Amino acid sequence: MIILGISALYHDSAAAIIINGDIIAAAQEERFTRKKHDNNLPINAIKYCFEAANISMIDVDEVVYYDNSLLTLDRFMSNVSELGNEADFLLETKYKGLIKSRLSIDKLIRNEFAVIGKKDTLSVCEHHISHAASAFYPSPYESAAILTIDGVGEWATTTIGIGHGNKIEILKEIDYPHSLGLLYSAFTSFCGFKVNSGDYKFMGLAPYGEPVYYDLLKENVIDIKQDGSYRLNMEFFEFHKGSHMTGRKMEELFGGPAREIESKITKREMDIAASVQKITEEVVAGLARYALELTKEKNLVMAGGVALNCVANGKLIKNGVVRNLWVQPAAGDAGGALGCALYSYYQINNNSRKVGVKDSQKGSYLGPEYSSEEIGEFLKKNNYTSQFYDDKKELFRDVAGEISKGKVVGWFNGRMEFGPRALGNRSILGNPMDTEMQSKLNLKIKYRESFRPFAPSILKEKYSEYFECNIESPYMLLCENVVESRRLPFNREELMKTHQGDMLPVVNTARSDVPAITHVDYSARIQTVSEDTNPDYYHLIKEFEKITGCPILINTSFNVRGEPIVCSPEDAYKCFMRTEMDILVLGNYVLKKTEQRKFDDIDDWRKEYVLD
Ligand SMILES: [Fe+2]
């Protein structure tokens, strides 16, 4: 049975294909169109899925859409009727286009593919059921409590459910406008970052601040109940009106206007980020506890955009809320494509589900890959100078040697990752022991704010030598602290005072013997790398360990600021030449910057990509 899942027309569009329950391929449309968070019908992603499965649209048994547009329409209408005259702006700018495209999704698919699978009809799965299914079905658990938290689906913003065997059931639901995801986005925006793409920056800012606004938020903005359920005080929010996330009342509460985009980040923003992060952790922990209690389960699975908050996830483990946690790597709306397909296969079509020791996400390496021949052809066609390695062991040794000397490497190898994190197949790599590497990578490669930490990829078996937790984190979805014995004395408050709130000198002060991946609160967003899931990446790190004694590499996504992660060798080469990266690895080929001829860049990437 072949099922195609589609997520589109809201946030990150994506497609996923499963055959007899096996996840064959999944990818986000942005990677092909090079337009970040592309929300159009994912034509390219669908075509890639067909290619990977060696099929065409007429072979597909079910085509499933991840969201029920009629229910979304119901929410729009309810919002409009409550707003009265104030709704004109919302109708003109947001709803009109969305309603039109959502209600014509069948037509859009038929325009491109002539039919919608064998049945020529589109099945529909509710948004949070898609998230829940994406969290439970690929997990390594026979049964689990399910928690989904995002901005909003149709009406639901948070759900608690249970998964057992091949069935899932939603038990509790919190509805729009009460939304933890939208609260987080509202403050991301209030602090001058872009909603969605800026959420990660906002989370990275939190460790610089103190949660001094925590009480203020709880007294005025959000009411959190014992069971983790919550209500927002809508006097402080404007997102339901369509133009801004927050308004005058929020500015009054925080004693001044929202931060202008790209202006100096002050202590107020750091403290707001710390306070909102604390609120988020409290709600997530409350909901998780309640979900486990309600379902009497020991395992917890999560999805929805808020499940990408790796700090909150890490605290669930650290504080003993749950021992067994699995989070869908594509936790945002892209993952809905996979979820709705799995839901159709197991729940609707009642196929049995086998659970293995490992999850069935295949390391989330579900995207396109390029053969050595294809890469060779690309290099030859463009006459780019490269060195071919027949023996990959030699390649690992040479590249690891370069990284140990402080070189920055663009690493393009194998299948592209599904989800927002680069997991060692489309990654930029560096030496974590280098004190200046964090600011070098930020300023010369990624062209972004320098206060954000980088993530470590660590050999699985060396995990506990460096970090305080021993639960595997293959998808970079858990934050944990560096062990005490590796920490260096570091007084963040003192340093912040000395440098008058300037984060750059603080970032450049070593905090551990792996400074480039240790955040100012000693935390790190970890990826554990195992030999069976990604042997090439594992052996590269192993070679680095042989040379340096350190089993860790810095791993940041292969892109510049505002650019989707690279997909093809051509995207990788462009990104390599546009930045100060030293070396590019394309499968078995190694390219050195010093050996490349001048790159005639017809496009200015700073104009090509809207800053995130
Ligand atoms: Fe969602």
Side-chain angles (χ1 to χ4, degrees):
M1 180 168 217
I2 302 174
I3 303 179
L4 172 71
I6 298 173
S7 126
L9 310 175
Y10 191 41
H11 288 139
D12 300 289
S13 289
I17 200 130
I18 60 169
I19 300 184
N20 298 329
D22 186 21
I23 305 169
I24 303 297
Q28 290 128 279
E29 183 70 358
E30 62 161 26
R31 307 289 165 87
F32 303 95
T33 58
R34 313 306 298 149
K35 186 180 152 206
K36 197 143 184 168
H37 305 299
D38 194 338
N39 67 351
N40 290 297
L41 181 72
I43 293 168
N44 298 283
I46 294 171
K47 285 181 178 165
Y48 153 67
C49 284
F50 288 166
E51 208 181 288
N54 199 18
I55 56 157
S56 59
M57 184 58 104
I58 200 65
D59 303 312
V60 178
D61 295 290
E62 297 269 1
V63 182
V64 194
Y65 183 59
Y66 85 128
D67 187 284
N68 185 332
S69 301
L70 291 176
L71 285 175
T72 307
L73 191 62
D74 183 49
R75 169 167 62 82
F76 287 177
M77 289 305 112
S78 160
N79 208 9
V80 164
S81 67
E82 264 177 44
L83 286 173
N85 289 341
E86 279 186 284
D88 289 355
F89 176 80
L90 194 63
L91 273 168
E92 277 308 313
T93 58
K94 283 201 168 169
Y95 284 0
K96 222 162 103 181
L98 262 177
I99 291 169
K100 233 171 134 182
S101 52
R102 289 267 189 124
L103 296 183
S104 59
I105 175 117
D106 306 48
K107 209 170 123 195
L108 290 173
I109 300 173
R110 267 193 209 101
N111 282 350
E112 190 61 38
F113 298 97
V115 289
I116 309 176
K118 278 180 192 165
K119 297 179 185 167
D120 198 23
T121 54
L122 185 67
S123 306
V124 164
C125 179
E126 282 180 31
H127 191 105
H128 273 258
I129 292 180
S130 298
H131 277 316
S134 79
F136 176 65
Y137 291 122
S139 80
Y141 309 134
E142 172 62 29
S143 68
I146 308 172
L147 179 58
T148 65
I149 317 170
D150 70 356
V152 62
E154 297 92 357
W155 275 102
T157 66
T158 300
T159 72
I160 288 175
I162 184 165
H164 194 90
N166 68 346
K167 292 283 186 281
I168 62 173
E169 187 189 350
I170 303 292
L171 305 169
K172 299 277 175 188
E173 173 174 327
I174 298 173
D175 282 349
Y176 182 88
H178 307 289
S179 162
L180 184 63
L182 287 172
L183 172 116
Y184 203 88
S185 295
F187 281 103
T188 300
S189 161
F190 189 79
C191 289
F193 302 109
K194 265 200 175 172
V195 171
N196 292 328
S197 54
D199 290 357
Y200 247 76
K201 296 184 197 177
F202 191 56
M203 192 177 76
L205 189 61
Y208 288 95
E210 295 297 327
V212 294
Y213 299 114
Y214 170 76
D215 289 334
L216 189 78
L217 284 167
K218 281 187 75 166
E219 279 157 21
N220 295 278
V221 178
I222 182 167
D223 178 21
I224 307 172
K225 306 268 190 271
Q226 198 63 38
D227 61 3
S229 65
Y230 57 86
R231 285 186 74 77
L232 301 186
N233 181 350
M234 290 309 292
E235 284 176 29
F236 291 94
F237 297 94
E238 302 274 318
F239 55 74
H240 54 301
K241 296 179 188 168
S243 55
H244 298 97
M245 294 300 285
T246 57
R248 196 178 41 82
K249 276 214 84 167
M250 194 69 94
E251 297 189 338
E252 281 167 12
L253 190 67
F254 286 93
R259 175 185 163 247
E260 295 273 347
I261 290 176
E262 300 293 310
S263 67
K264 189 175 176 356
I265 298 168
T266 66
K267 188 170 180 323
R268 183 184 74 152
E269 283 80 51
M270 300 174 201
D271 290 343
I272 291 175
S275 309
V276 172
Q277 181 60 35
K278 190 172 171 184
I279 293 277
T280 304
E281 288 163 19
E282 183 175 328
V283 174
V284 171
L287 289 166
R289 250 184 229 112
Y290 180 60
L292 293 165
E293 205 180 281
L294 184 72
T295 57
K296 301 194 171 32
E297 288 291 335
K298 284 194 184 73
N299 309 318
L300 179 70
V301 296
M302 286 168 63
V306 177
L308 293 170
N309 193 309
C310 49
V311 181
N313 298 348
K315 295 260 169 89
L316 290 178
I317 307 281
K318 199 187 175 110
N319 298 335
V321 176
V322 66
R323 280 179 66 183
N324 304 323
L325 174 68
W326 195 85
V327 182
Q328 165 56 239
D333 279 0
L338 179 59
C340 66
L342 291 166
Y343 183 79
S344 171
Y345 183 75
Y346 291 113
Q347 185 105 2
I348 305 295
N349 289 288
N350 201 24
N351 288 297
S352 65
R353 172 173 172 259
K354 281 188 210 80
V355 181
V357 189
K358 288 177 63 180
D359 67 52
S360 60
Q361 186 84 12
K362 301 181 175 170
S364 222
Y365 304 112
L366 299 167
E369 73 176 325
Y370 294 82
S371 68
S372 230
E373 291 72 34
E374 283 171 305
I375 294 169
E377 243 166 65
F378 161 76
L379 294 170
K380 203 172 148 202
K381 193 181 86 195
N382 291 288
N383 206 15
Y384 295 146
T385 310
S386 64
Q387 193 185 346
F388 178 77
Y389 283 76
D390 210 7
D391 181 1
K392 273 218 162 173
K393 269 191 214 147
E394 256 177 61
L395 183 150
F396 300 146
R397 198 188 53 218
D398 287 0
V399 173
E402 296 287 357
I403 298 173
S404 74
K405 290 180 212 150
K407 296 279 193 285
V408 176
V409 173
W411 182 258
F412 178 102
N413 190 41
R415 294 186 77 176
M416 185 177 72
E417 299 85 347
F418 180 50
R421 305 280 81 85
L423 300 169
N425 283 7
R426 299 288 186 279
S427 294
I428 297 172
L429 310 175
N431 182 344
M433 294 178 290
D434 189 331
T435 328
E436 264 146 44
M437 193 49 83
Q438 182 169 356
S439 75
K440 181 180 173 185
L441 277 170
N442 268 322
L443 299 173
K444 294 186 171 178
I445 316 279
K446 305 283 281 192
Y447 302 106
R448 66 182 196 187
E449 294 92 334
S450 56
F451 66 85
R452 297 169 64 194
F454 284 105
S457 291
I458 181 166
L459 299 179
K460 190 180 92 177
E461 61 274 14
K462 296 293 167 81
Y463 190 16
S464 55
E465 288 178 25
Y466 282 80
F467 302 103
E468 274 179 346
C469 178
N470 215 357
I471 289 205
E472 266 191 68
S473 176
Y475 302 113
M476 216 185 262
L477 285 166
L478 293 179
C479 260
E480 296 299 343
N481 285 340
V482 169
V483 290
E484 288 227 29
S485 59
R486 295 190 174 272
R487 295 183 196 174
L488 299 172
F490 175 83
N491 191 327
R492 185 201 54 193
E493 290 85 14
E494 201 64 37
L495 280 166
M496 288 295 276
K497 255 187 222 151
T498 312
H499 297 288
Q500 295 174 335
D502 187 356
M503 291 180 280
L504 193 58
V506 181
V507 145
N508 287 335
T509 309
R511 301 161 294 273
S512 76
D513 62 357
V514 276
I517 56 91
T518 311
H519 207 358
V520 294
D521 58 353
Y522 294 113
S523 69
R525 181 159 49 94
I526 302 156
Q527 181 199 4
T528 50
V529 181
S530 59
E531 192 175 7
D532 50 351
T533 316
N534 194 340
D536 281 3
Y537 194 40
Y538 177 91
H539 287 290
L540 175 73
I541 305 174
K542 194 95 187 149
E543 284 300 325
F544 183 77
E545 186 195 24
K546 270 190 213 159
I547 301 165
T548 63
C550 173
I552 301 175
L553 286 178
I554 295 178
N555 171 8
T556 181
S557 54
F558 200 150
N559 58 351
V560 286
R561 185 177 171 192
E563 182 191 16
I565 294 177
V566 299
C567 179
S568 67
E570 191 185 347
D571 304 333
Y573 188 81
K574 251 191 192 177
C575 187
F576 168 58
M577 292 306 289
R578 284 169 167 179
T579 63
E580 293 178 45
M581 238 180 273
D582 303 293
I583 288 166
L584 171 65
V585 178
L586 294 172
N588 290 55
Y589 292 85
V590 175
L591 289 82
K592 290 193 173 149
K593 180 66 71 58
T594 49
E595 293 171 1
Q596 304 305 306
R597 64 176 189 273
K598 193 175 167 293
F599 185 58
D600 295 321
D601 201 353
I602 27 164
D603 319 298
D604 178 352
W605 69 263
R606 287 170 185 85
K607 287 184 192 145
E608 193 175 334
Y609 304 118
V610 182
L611 292 184
D612 59 6

